[in-house]
Amino acid sequence: MSYGRFAYVYDYLMSDVPYDNWIKLFIAKKEQYNIAGSKVLDIACGTGEFSVRLAEKGYSVTGVDLSDEMLAIAKVKADQSGVAIPFYQQNMIELDMGEQFDSIVIFCDSLNYLHTENDVQSTFQRVYEQLKPGGLFMFDVHSIFKIEQVFAGQTFADVQDEVSYIWNSFAGEEPFSVEHELTFFVKEEESDQYDRFDEDHYQRTYDIETYKGWLADAGFTVKEVLADLEDRTPAEGSERIMFVAVK
């Protein structure tokens, strides 16, 4: 998977995403569990939407992402918002920041892009090592229901003046996985022509008990498992699962 050209249409695709709901839930859980300190590491920060929002609320934020192109956009957003955020290119499974943080987050189902069980377990261990004792770790993933019932075998499309896309999703070879095939048509500047490019993305999830077991193996205490960015427990049709853990 390459995020090169995708980085520049990512915000268009995510324009309706309720970013502030993640922020509100993070702040609420930080207060609920009396998590001290304002240093936050935003892993898989993408184009910086969470990082900038947290920095604007007074947090000392550091952003990490695998994509140079995503980070370049994030840096522009931070500069335009007048907040100072250091951004670094790193793979979350090899995370090495050289310091510890009060809170670490992996939001917007970014963890689902890891291909193997070992990758997820390695990420949890790396997060644990770079989280201060008593620190908060929050992340969300797609539910099995969403992978199998909402994504697999479905086609999504949108036609707009600037960007149009066709998005086909297929069940992946691994259990609870999905392959996304996306075709974009992006209008060229000062032209009526459209530039086409294609992206292939892969996501994989696991059941709640598996995630909880891996968190415990890494040393975390799981405080809560929530559904759909609300303060409620997951149900059969829940689409997004949020884990709240403490070191």
Side-chain angles (χ1 to χ4, degrees):
M1 174 181 59
S2 169
Y3 280 104
R5 303 180 74 184
F6 181 66
Y8 296 98
V9 297
Y10 179 82
D11 284 336
Y12 170 83
L13 287 177
M14 304 291 282
S15 59
D16 294 330
V17 170
Y19 289 107
D20 287 336
N21 290 8
W22 272 275
I23 302 300
K24 290 176 182 178
L25 196 56
F26 166 74
I27 293 173
K29 295 307 170 184
K30 191 173 183 298
E31 293 176 352
Q32 179 178 344
Y33 295 109
N34 298 312
I35 306 299
S38 63
K39 286 182 61 177
V40 180
L41 178 63
D42 182 12
I43 298 177
C45 65
T47 61
E49 288 293 330
F50 292 121
S51 296
V52 170
R53 281 171 166 78
L54 286 168
E56 288 176 336
K57 291 185 178 296
Y59 291 93
S60 175
V61 184
T62 299
V64 171
D65 201 90
L66 186 61
S67 166
D68 273 341
E69 291 82 3
M70 291 280 195
L71 292 172
I73 296 172
K75 181 65 166 60
V76 170
K77 287 183 181 179
D79 291 344
Q80 291 176 340
S81 298
V83 293
I85 303 174
F87 291 104
Y88 300 95
Q89 183 190 26
Q90 285 199 28
N91 189 328
M92 68 176 81
I93 67 176
E94 300 172 342
L95 187 71
D96 185 7
M97 300 303 298
E99 60 179 310
Q100 290 187 317
F101 296 82
D102 302 306
S103 301
I104 298 178
V105 300
I106 309 176
F107 285 157
C108 209
D109 54 84
S110 297
L111 197 75
N112 290 136
Y113 284 91
L114 299 180
H115 284 205
T116 71
E117 297 180 8
N118 286 340
D119 287 345
V120 179
Q121 292 172 285
S122 176
T123 297
F124 287 169
Q125 190 60 54
R126 294 284 183 164
V127 169
Y128 185 86
E129 292 168 357
Q130 286 155 93
L131 190 63
K132 292 180 181 179
L136 178 68
F137 176 36
M138 290 180 64
F139 68 93
D140 64 271
V141 294
H142 290 315
S143 67
I144 292 174
F145 170 83
K146 187 170 186 179
I147 291 289
E148 295 188 331
Q149 303 298 322
V150 177
F151 282 142
Q154 300 299 316
T155 297
F156 312 92
D158 190 30
V159 178
Q160 300 293 335
D161 290 340
E162 300 300 323
V163 180
S164 299
Y165 67 84
I166 302 170
W167 171 0
N168 294 307
S169 294
F170 307 93
E173 293 183 1
E174 301 293 340
F176 316 137
S177 68
V178 65
E179 297 181 17
H180 305 292
E181 294 182 356
L182 301 101
T183 298
F184 293 95
F185 301 90
V186 181
K187 188 176 182 180
E188 298 178 355
E189 292 185 10
E190 301 179 356
S191 170
D192 291 330
Q193 295 184 333
Y194 286 79
D195 184 25
R196 170 181 170 167
F197 68 94
D198 300 291
E199 290 276 337
D200 294 321
H201 291 212
Y202 171 91
Q203 290 189 297
R204 183 181 182 185
T205 198
Y206 306 89
D207 62 74
I208 290 173
E209 292 305 314
T210 296
Y211 283 116
K212 289 171 70 174
W214 289 339
L215 286 165
D217 289 344
F220 288 102
T221 299
V222 178
K223 293 293 188 179
E224 291 182 87
V225 181
L226 307 173
D228 297 326
L229 302 180
E230 296 182 8
D231 207 343
R232 58 183 175 84
T233 56
E236 184 176 347
S238 300
E239 296 187 13
R240 188 176 296 277
I241 310 299
M242 175 74 77
F243 292 81
V244 182
V246 172
K247 178 174 178 178

